[in-house]
Amino acid sequence: MDYIFDIFVISISAALINNFVLYYFVGICPFIGVSRRVDMALGMGSAVTFVMTIAVFLSWTITTLILMPGAPVSRWVAGYFMSAEKAAGIDLTILTYIVYIFSIASSVQFVEMYVRKFYPPLYKSFGVFLPLITTNCAILFACLTVMSNIIGVENPIEAWNLGRSLALGLFGGAGFTIAIVIMSGIREELDLCDIPAPFKGAAITLIVGGILAMAFMGFNGVDSGLKAALAGTP
Amino acid sequence: MERALKRGSTGAADRLKNSNFAQAWLILVLALIFGAALAAVQVNLSGIIAANKLNETLERVPELVFGAAAAAGMTSQNASVDITPGTVTVRKDIKTSYYNLFRVTHEGKLAGWVVKAGGQGYADKIEIIIGLDPGADTITGLFVLQQKETPGLGNKITFPRWRNQFIRKKTSPPLVVTKGKSQASNAIDAVTGATISSRSVTGIVNRAIGDVKGRLTPATIRFYERQP
Amino acid sequence: MTDLPTPSERFIQGILPENPVYRQLLGLCPTLAVTNGLKPALTMAVAVGVVLLSANIIISLIRNLLKPHLRIVVFTLTIATFVTIVDRLLAAYMYQMSKTLGPYIPLIIVNCIIICRCEVCASRQNVLAASADAVGQAIGFGLALTGIAVIREILGTGMIAGVQLMPTAWPSWVIMVLPPGAFLTFGLLLALVNWIDSTRSKNEGSGG
């Protein structure tokens, strides 16, 4: 039961309270550049969520099995080359960023092939934006958050397992989608307004984004309240 | 290398570009060079980074146990203060918690404990270290290691003026957060406009002390050697 | 070959005319994230500059060997390596700053500025031009970050890098150091830059 509550809090936190776009500032480039029509934004958000979940799955698995200090697979392989106790201390975390970015690139490739095979019109409408998801900060950020909850923790029992990581990936992407869809809806309206010339384009989007971020600040503190309520303490 | 390729035979460069075999070798060579660079970085810097992480806490330990003035005096005298790290495992129902702590001895005698604890704050996780006297009856200090509370409001929990409220408070009964000064001996005055942050820190302190109090014996603490 | 800019042109372009943040709208994630203080902003600018320079030099050295298909792979590998090195150096020698900057240092890997410069400049020009380009772009990035950081920190806390500038009676606009403040400051500054640019080209148009 504890576990379900934990997943619930992580999900709400990633989607609304610590929204990737409006609180952590990742995924800003598509937030400003792509969002102009709600259906495009929804498609982009879904693609990012899909890639994020796969990427987080890959990063968690690779980190826990290979990269972590004392990880099982590396320890087994190193056992062939050095003594067992030296192999137990093997630490491949220096390769983390390289491995992560390549696993993200692979996830995007995979999603691209999938979309091209099963949703050809969607693939055409995406155009160049699908490969560009590789450089979306939000996905690497999700992987890094998962990593920091595995490697940096002092007590191994509190290291995140796969369920929590997938919850972060899935709902972080959902939060990104929510932000980008709201923004695209607002921009559809903005197109009909008379905006002063210097503000047209990115500037007005940023200012609207600021007001949106203020609105989302209202969610601040919800997760600590949730945790207290779920744990039963006042 | 560039001149040779340009002047010599552009044919050679083009052949290199178009040959998959050569491309594979290029990536392999690059990977090896980068791998060697990274390995060098790892070997040279990982010790320093680990030391940084540990020192962050260790530096605070003397002043948490002895008080800021006394700790400064001790450093100038090069007094022999021994800090031994250890962990305590607490099993309650189905949940197991670990606490990292430090045993502080001065001139051979037990001078106090420093317990590391954390929990959910208003905005994000809060990590604190608590100084306790040898019997774990009185709090001797509090320091906030990590917090992401609201600047100007919640992050006032890091200010010494607020933290020093905890000094000389007894560990039982549990501390209670009040708004406005109270005469009770276990009252902590909340930061104005940041009641939740204040309650979070006090809750973390109460919980940590409650968990660790009866377990500060050699039997229940697993000590480990500190890397020099 | 003759229409590629010279090294000095690359350098000058990078600072203002082709400023990565205000003109090209690249690298917005760190621009918004680390500018709530002057010190983090400067550290981030230097880190990006170092990675940009190193990546540009390496890519420029091997530019004649790169097949178009694989160049993205090589770019990514190079950038990721240098970012790892910079990240470790920061953690070793500036530990507190490394904790403040947190995940935004590894996010330099997907910073569009660096990949864009590798693609546009380093893979086509010699080492000198690539280096000049890197330094110019880095200075431009640094200027952009510093501008936003100064405004946010002074209005938000009344201090700059720990030095109290505003009178203590100043009610700190805390919102400025929070996420909304980043969006608002950057949006207003961007509008200002656009306005200056359009006024200047209007004057040049009518005068010349």
Side-chain angles (χ1 to χ4, degrees), chain C residues 28-83:
Chain C
L28 299 182
C29 299
T31 309
L32 294 169
V34 308
T35 45
N36 52 5
L38 186 61
K39 274 202 258 186
L42 284 178
T43 314
M44 172 60 84
V46 169
V48 168
V50 167
V51 175
L52 186 55
L53 187 61
S54 325
N56 263 15
I57 291 180
I58 301 278
I59 298 294
S60 178
L61 284 175
I62 58 175
R63 71 185 185 282
N64 288 319
L65 305 173
L66 288 177
K67 188 172 170 181
H69 273 10
L70 286 181
R71 71 184 191 289
I72 300 286
V73 170
V74 174
F75 292 168
T76 313
L77 187 61
T78 319
I79 297 173
T81 306
F82 283 114
V83 169

Short mmCIF file of all heavy atoms in Angstrom, two decimals, chain C residues 28-83:
data_model
loop_
_atom_site.label_atom_id
_atom_site.label_comp_id
_atom_site.label_asym_id
_atom_site.label_seq_id
_atom_site.Cartn_x
_atom_site.Cartn_y
_atom_site.Cartn_z
N LEU C 28 17.81 27.43 -24.41
CA LEU C 28 16.94 28.18 -23.50
C LEU C 28 16.81 27.53 -22.14
O LEU C 28 16.52 28.19 -21.16
CB LEU C 28 15.56 28.36 -24.12
CG LEU C 28 15.54 29.13 -25.42
CD1 LEU C 28 14.11 29.29 -25.91
CD2 LEU C 28 16.17 30.49 -25.25
N CYS C 29 17.04 26.19 -22.09
CA CYS C 29 16.86 25.51 -20.82
C CYS C 29 17.79 26.05 -19.75
O CYS C 29 17.32 26.46 -18.68
CB CYS C 29 17.04 23.99 -20.98
SG CYS C 29 15.87 23.23 -22.10
N PRO C 30 19.11 26.11 -19.97
CA PRO C 30 19.96 26.70 -18.92
C PRO C 30 19.70 28.18 -18.75
O PRO C 30 19.84 28.70 -17.64
CB PRO C 30 21.38 26.43 -19.41
CG PRO C 30 21.27 26.17 -20.86
CD PRO C 30 19.92 25.60 -21.10
N THR C 31 19.33 28.89 -19.81
CA THR C 31 19.09 30.32 -19.69
C THR C 31 18.04 30.61 -18.65
O THR C 31 18.14 31.55 -17.88
CB THR C 31 18.63 30.89 -21.04
OG1 THR C 31 19.53 30.48 -22.04
CG2 THR C 31 18.57 32.39 -20.99
N LEU C 32 17.01 29.82 -18.60
CA LEU C 32 15.96 30.06 -17.62
C LEU C 32 16.29 29.44 -16.28
O LEU C 32 15.89 29.95 -15.24
CB LEU C 32 14.64 29.50 -18.14
CG LEU C 32 14.10 30.21 -19.38
CD1 LEU C 32 12.94 29.43 -19.96
CD2 LEU C 32 13.65 31.60 -19.03
N ALA C 33 17.03 28.33 -16.31
CA ALA C 33 17.16 27.55 -15.08
C ALA C 33 18.21 28.08 -14.13
O ALA C 33 17.99 28.11 -12.92
CB ALA C 33 17.47 26.10 -15.44
N VAL C 34 19.36 28.51 -14.62
CA VAL C 34 20.46 28.83 -13.71
C VAL C 34 20.63 30.31 -13.51
O VAL C 34 21.59 30.74 -12.88
CB VAL C 34 21.80 28.22 -14.20
CG1 VAL C 34 21.63 26.76 -14.46
CG2 VAL C 34 22.31 28.94 -15.41
N THR C 35 19.72 31.14 -14.05
CA THR C 35 19.95 32.57 -13.96
C THR C 35 19.34 33.19 -12.72
O THR C 35 19.16 34.39 -12.65
CB THR C 35 19.38 33.30 -15.19
OG1 THR C 35 18.08 32.80 -15.46
CG2 THR C 35 20.28 33.13 -16.36
N ASN C 36 19.03 32.39 -11.68
CA ASN C 36 18.53 33.06 -10.49
C ASN C 36 19.64 33.57 -9.60
O ASN C 36 19.40 34.07 -8.51
CB ASN C 36 17.55 32.17 -9.70
CG ASN C 36 18.14 30.82 -9.43
OD1 ASN C 36 19.29 30.57 -9.73
ND2 ASN C 36 17.34 29.95 -8.87
N GLY C 37 20.88 33.48 -10.06
CA GLY C 37 21.99 34.06 -9.32
C GLY C 37 23.11 34.34 -10.31
O GLY C 37 23.20 33.70 -11.35
N LEU C 38 23.96 35.31 -9.99
CA LEU C 38 25.01 35.66 -10.94
C LEU C 38 26.08 34.56 -11.01
O LEU C 38 26.56 34.21 -12.08
CB LEU C 38 25.66 36.99 -10.53
CG LEU C 38 26.68 37.52 -11.54
CD1 LEU C 38 26.03 37.77 -12.87
CD2 LEU C 38 27.31 38.79 -11.01
N LYS C 39 26.44 34.00 -9.84
CA LYS C 39 27.52 33.00 -9.86
C LYS C 39 27.15 31.75 -10.64
O LYS C 39 27.94 31.28 -11.46
CB LYS C 39 27.93 32.66 -8.42
CG LYS C 39 28.95 33.62 -7.87
CD LYS C 39 29.74 33.03 -6.72
CE LYS C 39 29.20 33.58 -5.42
NZ LYS C 39 29.92 33.22 -4.22
N PRO C 40 25.94 31.18 -10.41
CA PRO C 40 25.60 30.01 -11.23
C PRO C 40 25.58 30.33 -12.71
O PRO C 40 26.02 29.52 -13.54
CB PRO C 40 24.19 29.63 -10.74
CG PRO C 40 24.06 30.23 -9.41
CD PRO C 40 24.90 31.46 -9.40
N ALA C 41 25.07 31.54 -13.05
CA ALA C 41 24.99 31.89 -14.46
C ALA C 41 26.38 31.94 -15.10
O ALA C 41 26.61 31.40 -16.18
CB ALA C 41 24.29 33.25 -14.62
N LEU C 42 27.33 32.57 -14.41
CA LEU C 42 28.68 32.66 -14.96
C LEU C 42 29.33 31.28 -15.07
O LEU C 42 29.99 30.97 -16.06
CB LEU C 42 29.55 33.57 -14.08
CG LEU C 42 29.29 35.06 -14.25
CD1 LEU C 42 30.15 35.86 -13.30
CD2 LEU C 42 29.56 35.48 -15.67
N THR C 43 29.13 30.46 -14.04
CA THR C 43 29.71 29.12 -14.09
C THR C 43 29.16 28.34 -15.27
O THR C 43 29.90 27.67 -15.99
CB THR C 43 29.40 28.36 -12.78
OG1 THR C 43 29.65 29.20 -11.68
CG2 THR C 43 30.25 27.12 -12.68
N MET C 44 27.85 28.43 -15.46
CA MET C 44 27.24 27.72 -16.58
C MET C 44 27.79 28.24 -17.91
O MET C 44 28.10 27.47 -18.80
CB MET C 44 25.72 27.89 -16.53
CG MET C 44 24.99 27.36 -17.73
SD MET C 44 25.23 25.62 -18.02
CE MET C 44 24.03 24.93 -16.94
N ALA C 45 27.93 29.57 -18.03
CA ALA C 45 28.44 30.13 -19.28
C ALA C 45 29.85 29.62 -19.56
O ALA C 45 30.18 29.24 -20.69
CB ALA C 45 28.43 31.65 -19.22
N VAL C 46 30.69 29.60 -18.52
CA VAL C 46 32.06 29.11 -18.72
C VAL C 46 32.05 27.62 -19.09
O VAL C 46 32.79 27.19 -19.98
CB VAL C 46 32.90 29.35 -17.44
CG1 VAL C 46 34.21 28.63 -17.52
CG2 VAL C 46 33.12 30.83 -17.24
N ALA C 47 31.19 26.85 -18.40
CA ALA C 47 31.13 25.41 -18.70
C ALA C 47 30.73 25.18 -20.16
O ALA C 47 31.36 24.40 -20.88
CB ALA C 47 30.14 24.72 -17.76
N VAL C 48 29.68 25.88 -20.59
CA VAL C 48 29.24 25.73 -21.98
C VAL C 48 30.35 26.17 -22.92
O VAL C 48 30.61 25.53 -23.94
CB VAL C 48 27.95 26.54 -22.23
CG1 VAL C 48 27.65 26.63 -23.70
CG2 VAL C 48 26.79 25.90 -21.51
N GLY C 49 31.04 27.26 -22.57
CA GLY C 49 32.12 27.74 -23.41
C GLY C 49 33.22 26.72 -23.57
O GLY C 49 33.72 26.46 -24.68
N VAL C 50 33.61 26.09 -22.45
CA VAL C 50 34.67 25.09 -22.51
C VAL C 50 34.26 23.91 -23.39
O VAL C 50 35.01 23.46 -24.26
CB VAL C 50 35.02 24.61 -21.08
CG1 VAL C 50 35.87 23.36 -21.12
CG2 VAL C 50 35.73 25.70 -20.32
N VAL C 51 33.04 23.41 -23.17
CA VAL C 51 32.58 22.27 -23.96
C VAL C 51 32.49 22.64 -25.43
O VAL C 51 32.92 21.90 -26.32
CB VAL C 51 31.21 21.77 -23.44
CG1 VAL C 51 30.69 20.67 -24.32
CG2 VAL C 51 31.33 21.29 -22.03
N LEU C 52 31.95 23.84 -25.70
CA LEU C 52 31.79 24.29 -27.08
C LEU C 52 33.14 24.38 -27.78
O LEU C 52 33.32 23.89 -28.90
CB LEU C 52 31.09 25.65 -27.07
CG LEU C 52 30.67 26.25 -28.39
CD1 LEU C 52 29.82 25.30 -29.17
CD2 LEU C 52 29.93 27.55 -28.14
N LEU C 53 34.11 24.99 -27.10
CA LEU C 53 35.43 25.14 -27.70
C LEU C 53 36.08 23.79 -27.97
O LEU C 53 36.57 23.51 -29.07
CB LEU C 53 36.32 25.98 -26.77
CG LEU C 53 37.68 26.37 -27.33
CD1 LEU C 53 37.50 27.22 -28.56
CD2 LEU C 53 38.47 27.14 -26.28
N SER C 54 36.06 22.91 -26.96
CA SER C 54 36.69 21.59 -27.14
C SER C 54 36.02 20.81 -28.25
O SER C 54 36.68 20.24 -29.13
CB SER C 54 36.62 20.78 -25.84
OG SER C 54 36.73 21.61 -24.73
N ALA C 55 34.69 20.79 -28.24
CA ALA C 55 33.98 20.01 -29.25
C ALA C 55 34.25 20.57 -30.64
O ALA C 55 34.51 19.82 -31.59
CB ALA C 55 32.48 20.02 -28.95
N ASN C 56 34.22 21.91 -30.76
CA ASN C 56 34.48 22.52 -32.07
C ASN C 56 35.86 22.16 -32.59
O ASN C 56 36.04 21.83 -33.76
CB ASN C 56 34.35 24.05 -31.97
CG ASN C 56 32.98 24.51 -32.41
OD1 ASN C 56 32.06 23.71 -32.52
ND2 ASN C 56 32.84 25.80 -32.67
N ILE C 57 36.86 22.19 -31.70
CA ILE C 57 38.22 21.90 -32.14
C ILE C 57 38.33 20.46 -32.62
O ILE C 57 38.86 20.19 -33.70
CB ILE C 57 39.23 22.18 -31.00
CG1 ILE C 57 39.30 23.68 -30.73
CG2 ILE C 57 40.59 21.63 -31.34
CD1 ILE C 57 40.26 24.05 -29.64
N ILE C 58 37.81 19.53 -31.82
CA ILE C 58 37.91 18.12 -32.19
C ILE C 58 37.18 17.85 -33.50
O ILE C 58 37.72 17.23 -34.44
CB ILE C 58 37.34 17.21 -31.08
CG1 ILE C 58 38.09 17.42 -29.78
CG2 ILE C 58 37.38 15.76 -31.52
CD1 ILE C 58 39.37 16.68 -29.69
N ILE C 59 35.96 18.34 -33.61
CA ILE C 59 35.17 18.09 -34.81
C ILE C 59 35.86 18.72 -36.02
O ILE C 59 35.91 18.15 -37.10
CB ILE C 59 33.75 18.65 -34.65
CG1 ILE C 59 33.02 17.97 -33.51
CG2 ILE C 59 32.97 18.50 -35.94
CD1 ILE C 59 32.75 16.52 -33.77
N SER C 60 36.41 19.92 -35.81
CA SER C 60 37.07 20.58 -36.93
C SER C 60 38.29 19.79 -37.39
O SER C 60 38.60 19.74 -38.58
CB SER C 60 37.47 21.99 -36.50
OG SER C 60 38.14 22.63 -37.52
N LEU C 61 38.98 19.15 -36.45
CA LEU C 61 40.16 18.38 -36.83
C LEU C 61 39.80 17.16 -37.67
O LEU C 61 40.56 16.75 -38.53
CB LEU C 61 40.92 17.93 -35.57
CG LEU C 61 41.75 19.00 -34.87
CD1 LEU C 61 42.35 18.45 -33.59
CD2 LEU C 61 42.86 19.47 -35.79
N ILE C 62 38.64 16.56 -37.40
CA ILE C 62 38.32 15.33 -38.13
C ILE C 62 37.23 15.55 -39.17
O ILE C 62 36.64 14.60 -39.66
CB ILE C 62 37.88 14.21 -37.17
CG1 ILE C 62 36.66 14.66 -36.35
CG2 ILE C 62 39.00 13.82 -36.24
CD1 ILE C 62 36.14 13.55 -35.48
N ARG C 63 36.98 16.83 -39.51
CA ARG C 63 35.82 17.10 -40.34
C ARG C 63 35.89 16.43 -41.70
O ARG C 63 34.88 16.13 -42.31
CB ARG C 63 35.62 18.60 -40.52
CG ARG C 63 36.67 19.27 -41.41
CD ARG C 63 36.44 20.76 -41.42
NE ARG C 63 37.35 21.42 -42.33
CZ ARG C 63 38.61 21.68 -42.06
NH1 ARG C 63 39.10 21.30 -40.91
NH2 ARG C 63 39.37 22.30 -42.95
N ASN C 64 37.11 16.22 -42.22
CA ASN C 64 37.22 15.63 -43.55
C ASN C 64 37.00 14.13 -43.55
O ASN C 64 36.93 13.51 -44.60
CB ASN C 64 38.58 15.95 -44.15
CG ASN C 64 38.67 17.41 -44.53
OD1 ASN C 64 37.71 17.97 -45.05
ND2 ASN C 64 39.80 18.04 -44.24
N LEU C 65 36.91 13.55 -42.36
CA LEU C 65 36.76 12.10 -42.32
C LEU C 65 35.33 11.67 -42.04
O LEU C 65 35.04 10.49 -42.01
CB LEU C 65 37.66 11.52 -41.21
CG LEU C 65 39.13 11.90 -41.29
CD1 LEU C 65 39.85 11.41 -40.05
CD2 LEU C 65 39.75 11.29 -42.53
N LEU C 66 34.46 12.66 -41.83
CA LEU C 66 33.12 12.31 -41.33
C LEU C 66 32.14 12.08 -42.47
O LEU C 66 31.91 12.95 -43.28
CB LEU C 66 32.58 13.43 -40.45
CG LEU C 66 33.22 13.58 -39.09
CD1 LEU C 66 32.61 14.77 -38.38
CD2 LEU C 66 33.01 12.34 -38.28
N LYS C 67 31.54 10.90 -42.45
CA LYS C 67 30.46 10.65 -43.40
C LYS C 67 29.20 11.31 -42.88
O LYS C 67 28.96 11.32 -41.68
CB LYS C 67 30.27 9.13 -43.47
CG LYS C 67 29.33 8.67 -44.53
CD LYS C 67 29.40 7.15 -44.60
CE LYS C 67 28.29 6.62 -45.48
NZ LYS C 67 28.32 5.17 -45.54
N PRO C 68 28.40 11.89 -43.77
CA PRO C 68 27.21 12.63 -43.31
C PRO C 68 26.32 11.83 -42.36
O PRO C 68 25.83 12.36 -41.38
CB PRO C 68 26.47 12.94 -44.62
CG PRO C 68 27.52 12.97 -45.65
CD PRO C 68 28.60 12.05 -45.22
N HIS C 69 26.13 10.53 -42.64
CA HIS C 69 25.25 9.72 -41.78
C HIS C 69 25.71 9.69 -40.35
O HIS C 69 24.92 9.70 -39.42
CB HIS C 69 25.22 8.27 -42.27
CG HIS C 69 24.19 8.05 -43.32
ND1 HIS C 69 23.51 9.07 -43.91
CD2 HIS C 69 23.69 6.93 -43.84
CE1 HIS C 69 22.66 8.59 -44.79
NE2 HIS C 69 22.74 7.29 -44.76
N LEU C 70 27.02 9.55 -40.18
CA LEU C 70 27.52 9.26 -38.84
C LEU C 70 27.91 10.50 -38.08
O LEU C 70 28.32 10.41 -36.93
CB LEU C 70 28.75 8.34 -38.94
CG LEU C 70 28.42 6.91 -39.30
CD1 LEU C 70 29.67 6.09 -39.35
CD2 LEU C 70 27.46 6.33 -38.29
N ARG C 71 27.75 11.67 -38.71
CA ARG C 71 28.31 12.84 -38.01
C ARG C 71 27.58 13.14 -36.73
O ARG C 71 28.19 13.53 -35.73
CB ARG C 71 28.32 14.05 -38.94
CG ARG C 71 26.97 14.62 -39.22
CD ARG C 71 27.09 15.76 -40.22
NE ARG C 71 25.85 16.50 -40.31
CZ ARG C 71 24.75 16.06 -40.86
NH1 ARG C 71 24.75 14.86 -41.41
NH2 ARG C 71 23.66 16.79 -40.89
N ILE C 72 26.27 12.88 -36.70
CA ILE C 72 25.54 13.17 -35.46
C ILE C 72 26.06 12.28 -34.33
O ILE C 72 26.23 12.73 -33.19
CB ILE C 72 24.03 12.95 -35.66
CG1 ILE C 72 23.51 13.87 -36.76
CG2 ILE C 72 23.30 13.20 -34.38
CD1 ILE C 72 23.39 15.29 -36.36
N VAL C 73 26.34 11.03 -34.67
CA VAL C 73 26.87 10.11 -33.66
C VAL C 73 28.19 10.64 -33.11
O VAL C 73 28.42 10.65 -31.90
CB VAL C 73 27.06 8.70 -34.26
CG1 VAL C 73 27.82 7.82 -33.30
CG2 VAL C 73 25.72 8.08 -34.57
N VAL C 74 29.06 11.09 -34.02
CA VAL C 74 30.36 11.58 -33.58
C VAL C 74 30.21 12.84 -32.75
O VAL C 74 30.85 13.01 -31.72
CB VAL C 74 31.28 11.81 -34.80
CG1 VAL C 74 32.57 12.45 -34.38
CG2 VAL C 74 31.54 10.51 -35.50
N PHE C 75 29.34 13.75 -33.20
CA PHE C 75 29.09 14.98 -32.43
C PHE C 75 28.67 14.62 -31.01
O PHE C 75 29.21 15.12 -30.03
CB PHE C 75 27.96 15.81 -33.06
CG PHE C 75 28.30 16.43 -34.38
CD1 PHE C 75 27.30 16.99 -35.16
CD2 PHE C 75 29.59 16.46 -34.86
CE1 PHE C 75 27.59 17.56 -36.38
CE2 PHE C 75 29.89 17.02 -36.08
CZ PHE C 75 28.88 17.56 -36.85
N THR C 76 27.66 13.73 -30.94
CA THR C 76 27.11 13.39 -29.64
C THR C 76 28.16 12.77 -28.74
O THR C 76 28.28 13.12 -27.57
CB THR C 76 25.94 12.41 -29.81
OG1 THR C 76 25.09 12.89 -30.83
CG2 THR C 76 25.16 12.27 -28.53
N LEU C 77 28.95 11.85 -29.30
CA LEU C 77 29.98 11.20 -28.51
C LEU C 77 30.97 12.22 -27.96
O LEU C 77 31.30 12.21 -26.77
CB LEU C 77 30.70 10.17 -29.39
CG LEU C 77 31.71 9.24 -28.71
CD1 LEU C 77 31.02 8.42 -27.66
CD2 LEU C 77 32.35 8.35 -29.74
N THR C 78 31.43 13.12 -28.84
CA THR C 78 32.40 14.13 -28.41
C THR C 78 31.83 15.02 -27.32
O THR C 78 32.45 15.24 -26.28
CB THR C 78 32.80 15.00 -29.61
OG1 THR C 78 32.97 14.20 -30.75
CG2 THR C 78 34.04 15.78 -29.31
N ILE C 79 30.62 15.55 -27.59
CA ILE C 79 30.03 16.48 -26.62
C ILE C 79 29.80 15.79 -25.29
O ILE C 79 30.10 16.35 -24.23
CB ILE C 79 28.72 17.05 -27.19
CG1 ILE C 79 29.00 17.85 -28.46
CG2 ILE C 79 28.03 17.92 -26.17
CD1 ILE C 79 27.76 18.31 -29.16
N ALA C 80 29.28 14.55 -25.33
CA ALA C 80 29.00 13.86 -24.07
C ALA C 80 30.27 13.63 -23.28
O ALA C 80 30.29 13.78 -22.05
CB ALA C 80 28.29 12.53 -24.35
N THR C 81 31.36 13.30 -23.96
CA THR C 81 32.62 13.10 -23.26
C THR C 81 33.08 14.37 -22.57
O THR C 81 33.43 14.36 -21.38
CB THR C 81 33.72 12.64 -24.24
OG1 THR C 81 33.26 11.50 -24.93
CG2 THR C 81 35.00 12.32 -23.51
N PHE C 82 33.08 15.48 -23.30
CA PHE C 82 33.56 16.72 -22.69
C PHE C 82 32.65 17.19 -21.57
O PHE C 82 33.11 17.74 -20.57
CB PHE C 82 33.71 17.80 -23.75
CG PHE C 82 34.95 17.62 -24.57
CD1 PHE C 82 34.88 17.32 -25.91
CD2 PHE C 82 36.19 17.73 -23.98
CE1 PHE C 82 36.02 17.13 -26.66
CE2 PHE C 82 37.34 17.55 -24.72
CZ PHE C 82 37.26 17.25 -26.07
N VAL C 83 31.34 16.97 -21.72
CA VAL C 83 30.45 17.37 -20.64
C VAL C 83 30.72 16.54 -19.39
O VAL C 83 30.72 17.07 -18.27
CB VAL C 83 28.97 17.22 -21.07
CG1 VAL C 83 28.06 17.36 -19.88
CG2 VAL C 83 28.63 18.26 -22.11
#
